[in-house]
Amino acid sequence: MPELPEVEYTARQLRASVVGATIRDAQVFWERSVGHPDLPDFLAEIAGRRVEGVRRRGKFLLLDLSGELFLSIHRRMTGNLLLLPAGWEIYTSLREENLAAWNTKGPTFRDCRGALDSARQDAAEPAERIYSESETAYCRVCFNLEDGRRLLFTDPRKFGRVELWPCEQEAEALQGLGPEPLGDEFTVEWLATALAGRRS
């Protein structure tokens, strides 16, 4: 699973940056990016949820949310997550100007904070990732956080899926996955049994 290390790295980055944040609301720019539940229910249920933890299961990112829910994100081939600092604005004028282009590219995000102030230039502050407008293109889902930051799910090829599930249905949401390759249950004995009788 060549992408698994990338997903683990993303999970660690998110764990360090969004745990404790509250999702004010979400905006969905490509409806089929949301696989479960129906879009109106997804939008209603995600609003106001606090991110309590970030995990990885196989190639799924799992964000544990308040209210016994979890957000499942499968990036597939081209999905990516970007965390924009407060001050980035969404422009949706393309939807009215050119619907075909909108369905391909989605909204535009622009940094409207102006010049960096001296506090943000302080060498003691960690370096902030600067994104170009092209990097924020193809946004399919935008999670607006209470602190003004935005977590974008970008996906040029539209294969990725975002789903919201009750914690009690985690087995259903992740059905079909084998044992976790970094987990204790993945043993030589398990692998030998799984491969027994196979020619490939």
Side-chain angles (χ1 to χ4, degrees), residues 64-125:
D64 295 311
L65 305 177
S66 58
E68 298 298 314
L69 297 174
F70 72 94
L71 187 67
S72 160
I73 301 172
H74 197 311
R75 296 164 52 183
R76 303 259 168 91
M77 291 179 68
T78 60
N80 199 13
L81 289 162
L82 305 175
L83 184 61
L84 301 182
W88 281 67
E89 297 297 328
I90 301 177
Y91 294 88
T92 60
S93 57
L94 186 61
R95 182 167 31 202
E96 289 73 38
E97 295 166 4
N98 186 336
L99 189 57
W102 167 264
N103 287 333
T104 300
K105 256 187 130 175
T108 302
F109 292 82
R110 292 192 190 123
D111 186 351
C112 296
R113 295 171 297 172
L116 294 174
D117 58 39
S118 59
R120 290 172 52 217
Q121 292 176 341
D122 187 340
E125 292 291 319

Side-chain angles (χ1 to χ4, degrees), residues 6 8 10 17 21 28 35 76 92 110 113 115 136 141 148 162 181-182:
E6 293 177 36
E8 177 63 27
T10 302
S17 55
V28 176
R76 303 259 168 91
T92 60
R110 292 192 190 123
R113 295 171 297 172
T136 62
V141 182
V162 177
L182 303 180

Side-chain angles (χ1 to χ4, degrees), residues 139-152:
C139 178
R140 307 308 177 196
V141 182
C142 173
F143 298 97
N144 299 305
L145 306 182
E146 288 283 3
D147 61 14
R149 294 181 297 166
R150 299 181 192 274
L151 180 62
L152 310 186

